[in-house]
Amino acid sequence: MSTLIEKITAQINVRSKMLALIALVTCVSIAAMTYFSYRSIRSTKIQNSQEKLLSQGEEVLRYAETMVDNSTDQLQSLALSPVLVDAVRRANRQDQSTSEIQALDEAWKNDEAEALVQRIRSTEASQLLRDFQERFPGQVEVFVTDAQGVNVAM
């Protein structure tokens, strides 16, 4: 009887060992498949994200290019206005000295040029710019200067 028990115990141990080995191989296989699936999915997601971002970036660039082109066309049309051309020609004939321009700049920076601002804003050229900004609200700030950079219209 003792040999029968030893045989049964030996068989159980072999069976247990086989089951443990099968369970281990199964777990390792599942872990390996999970790891490789994760890597594959991650790589695909990263590539898809990159392609989507590149596509969106190109779309934004095309939109920005269109907006800049439209703004350029609008401003070029405005620049050809006889009212603005005449205002700039008159201002260029004044030929102010560098010290006069620097004094104007300092007064402007220190908010001490209210009379100058009102004089410039009351011109026909400034009214044209305000009308332009109403028609094209995307043009946030539009002003015209003479050859020396002195404001002519705003």
Side-chain angles (χ1 to χ4, degrees):
M1 183 96 176
S2 84
T3 56
L4 181 64
I5 293 176
E6 287 175 2
K7 284 183 182 178
I8 293 174
T9 305
Q11 286 179 351
I12 291 176
N13 284 339
V14 170
R15 283 186 189 154
S16 294
K17 289 177 185 177
M18 288 298 283
L19 287 175
L21 182 60
I22 290 171
L24 178 65
V25 168
T26 302
C27 287
V28 169
S29 297
I30 290 172
M33 287 186 335
T34 301
Y35 174 76
F36 289 116
S37 293
Y38 164 77
R39 296 284 300 197
S40 175
I41 291 170
R42 180 175 177 256
S43 175
T44 301
K45 286 285 189 185
I46 288 172
Q47 186 170 352
N48 289 344
S49 296
Q50 288 172 339
E51 290 170 1
K52 186 175 181 179
L53 286 172
L54 283 173
S55 174
Q56 288 174 341
E58 289 170 357
E59 186 178 327
V60 167
L61 284 174
R62 282 191 299 275
Y63 177 75
E65 180 182 17
T66 301
M67 293 300 293
V68 168
D69 287 345
N70 289 343
S71 291
T72 302
D73 292 343
Q74 293 166 356
L75 292 171
Q76 284 175 339
S77 297
L78 179 65
L80 296 175
S81 165
V83 171
L84 292 181
V85 171
D86 289 343
V88 171
R89 283 186 180 146
R90 280 192 309 276
N92 283 339
R93 283 193 293 264
Q94 290 180 2
D95 196 34
Q96 294 176 327
S97 70
T98 304
S99 60
E100 290 173 321
I101 293 172
Q102 288 174 342
L104 287 173
D105 281 345
E106 284 303 313
W108 194 282
K109 289 176 190 174
N110 296 326
D111 290 330
E112 298 170 357
E114 189 59 36
L116 175 62
V117 170
Q118 288 306 320
R119 183 179 58 78
I120 294 172
R121 290 189 60 79
S122 67
T123 65
E124 184 182 2
S126 290
Q127 183 60 49
L128 180 68
L129 293 184
R130 286 191 295 277
D131 292 344
F132 176 80
Q133 283 181 295
E134 285 178 20
R135 280 192 308 262
F136 302 104
Q139 302 295 337
V140 178
E141 185 177 33
V142 180
F143 55 91
V144 177
T145 63
D146 66 7
Q148 294 176 306
V150 176
N151 282 341
V152 173
M154 55 186 200

